[in-house]
Amino acid sequence: MPSSKPLMTPSSGPVSPDIESALRTLETESGGIGALATALKGSLGASFTAAIDKIRNAKGRVVVTGLGKSGHMARKIAATLASTGTPAFFVHAAEAGHGDLGMITTDDVIMALSWSGEQPEMKNLVNYSARFAIPMIAVTSNAGSALGQAADIVIELPKAREACPHNLAPTTSTLMQAAIGDAIAIALLEGRGFTALEFAHFHPGGKLGAMLKFVRDYMRTDAEIPVKPVGTMMSEAVVEMSAKGLGCVCIVSSTGEIAGIITDGDLRRHMRPDLLTATVDDIMTKQPKTVPPSMLATEMLEVLNTRKITTLIVAEANKPVGIVHLHDLLRAGVA
């Protein structure tokens, strides 16, 4: 039952009843996740490993199924598996007996979610699995249930109290289902060495899509690159910097290779009466950081943040082929 004693915080005194309720919910649900982690270190570990092996060695796809709140979790798990390199799709357990069984082949693996393991609507799927020898993984809290008894592998989730004060509304249980689904997806991802480049193939849209594009997709090229040769007067370099509006100018050798860079910061550090009559050789930062056009945008953003800079020269064979400014990434939704 909810505690009648109000919680206190050092800064604001008593916590509102709504916050107390939220904290109790989070504490209860975190207890379920903790119990799941403990179980994985013990008896649950063997069946979890067996499930990973079964999915990894399957020629077909993972068919994730469930009903009610478990069905919602099954749909989410199928989406996570598919987006991380494990072909998967969701089949509603009740619809399976009305034609959707035809979506499931003998090369597939069925992952059935049911907290109780006793939904009668699962019967058609269970029978179909047995008839055609399609492996079934049950994710349930009751290994002795009808679903658990019919499955080839049972991932038995530890019983935990729901966050609902009546211990009825699926809350902790659905969180545990989602968590074990994530654990399966990531174990498969890591096992096959699934890379960020492969991830990009499945996420071309939105912020993820922007971050998983390449430097070449965002760099400015050709006449947009501010560049001057060694020996140039600083007055000319400043004009180039102002004209291109990127706050820097790339300095190249007589053979076109990158010799240095001059940024707004360099101008401030070298501010003196004869600055404009000096040559770029005296002001430039030598051996500037560059990135290749094949680098992922998210990795480039990490370089910018780590070095606390706003511009990067894009180079191939130590020659400038582009330039990227932090504002370009902001406009594209990468940062």
Side-chain angles (χ1 to χ4, degrees):
M1 295 293 294
S3 171
S4 60
K5 184 177 179 180
L7 297 175
M8 305 286 287
T9 63
S11 59
S12 60
V15 176
S16 74
D18 293 336
I19 298 300
E20 286 188 43
S21 174
L23 292 173
R24 283 194 299 270
T25 296
L26 295 175
E27 182 178 359
T28 302
E29 291 186 342
S30 66
I33 296 298
L36 181 57
T38 299
L40 276 169
K41 296 175 185 176
S43 58
L44 184 58
S47 59
F48 181 86
T49 301
I52 295 298
D53 289 340
K54 182 67 70 175
I55 295 171
R56 183 181 291 128
N57 295 322
K59 295 180 181 179
R61 298 158 297 176
V62 182
V63 181
V64 194
T65 186
L67 287 160
K69 300 301 185 294
S70 293
H72 292 308
M73 292 302 102
R75 190 183 296 274
K76 185 270 178 191
I77 291 170
T80 300
L81 286 168
S83 72
T84 52
T86 300
F89 66 96
F90 169 76
V91 169
H92 193 284
E95 294 291 336
H98 297 275
D100 284 359
L101 286 173
M103 302 166 67
I104 307 172
T105 75
T106 55
D107 289 332
D108 296 334
V109 174
I110 299 172
M111 183 189 300
L113 276 67
S114 172
W115 189 253
S116 69
E118 295 292 353
Q119 281 102 339
E121 295 92 340
M122 284 279 189
K123 184 177 180 181
N124 288 325
L125 266 168
V126 169
N127 291 341
Y128 190 79
S129 168
R131 179 182 177 186
F132 294 101
I134 301 170
M136 176 176 283
I137 301 167
V139 180
T140 178
S141 68
N142 185 5
S145 63
L147 178 63
Q149 292 292 321
D152 299 275
I153 299 169
V154 180
I155 296 178
E156 186 175 22
L157 304 179
K159 293 179 174 61
R161 182 176 178 81
E162 303 287 9
C164 165
H166 310 298
N167 197 29
L168 294 173
T171 46
T172 307
S173 57
T174 51
L175 181 63
M176 293 168 69
Q177 289 174 331
I180 199 68
D182 287 344
I184 290 170
I186 299 305
L188 290 164
L189 177 154
E190 293 180 342
R192 72 167 58 87
F194 191 75
T195 66
L197 292 179
E198 292 173 292
F199 193 78
H201 296 321
F202 303 127
H203 297 80
K207 183 177 177 65
L208 271 177
M211 294 181 69
L212 292 170
K213 288 185 179 179
F214 300 96
V215 169
R216 61 173 171 264
D217 297 316
Y218 299 110
M219 69 184 188
R220 304 188 190 195
T221 60
D222 301 326
E224 293 183 290
I225 306 173
V227 60
K228 284 293 181 180
V230 293
T232 299
M233 299 293 290
M234 278 299 300
S235 57
E236 296 181 39
V238 170
V239 170
E240 178 74 356
M241 289 175 64
S242 300
K244 300 300 170 64
L246 293 174
C248 70
V249 58
C250 176
I251 309 302
V252 296
S253 68
S254 58
T255 57
E257 295 183 335
I258 299 169
I261 189 172
I262 296 175
T263 66
D264 289 335
D266 292 318
L267 295 182
R268 290 191 294 271
R269 284 187 291 272
H270 291 86
M271 188 61 65
R272 59 182 194 245
D274 65 339
L275 174 62
L276 295 181
T277 58
T279 65
V280 294
D281 309 54
D282 300 323
I283 306 300
M284 70 183 184
T285 298
K286 297 179 180 179
Q287 298 179 332
K289 174 65 180 178
T290 64
V291 294
S294 59
M295 176 182 279
L296 283 172
T298 181
E299 296 174 334
M300 174 180 56
L301 182 61
E302 179 66 22
V303 174
L304 290 170
N305 289 333
T306 300
R307 291 180 170 259
K308 295 181 173 59
I309 56 178
T310 58
T311 310
L312 276 170
I313 299 172
V314 185
E316 285 185 325
N318 200 34
K319 293 185 177 181
V321 295
I323 191 162
V324 178
H325 195 280
L326 179 61
H327 291 169
D328 299 325
L329 303 183
L330 289 170
R331 280 191 291 270
V334 177

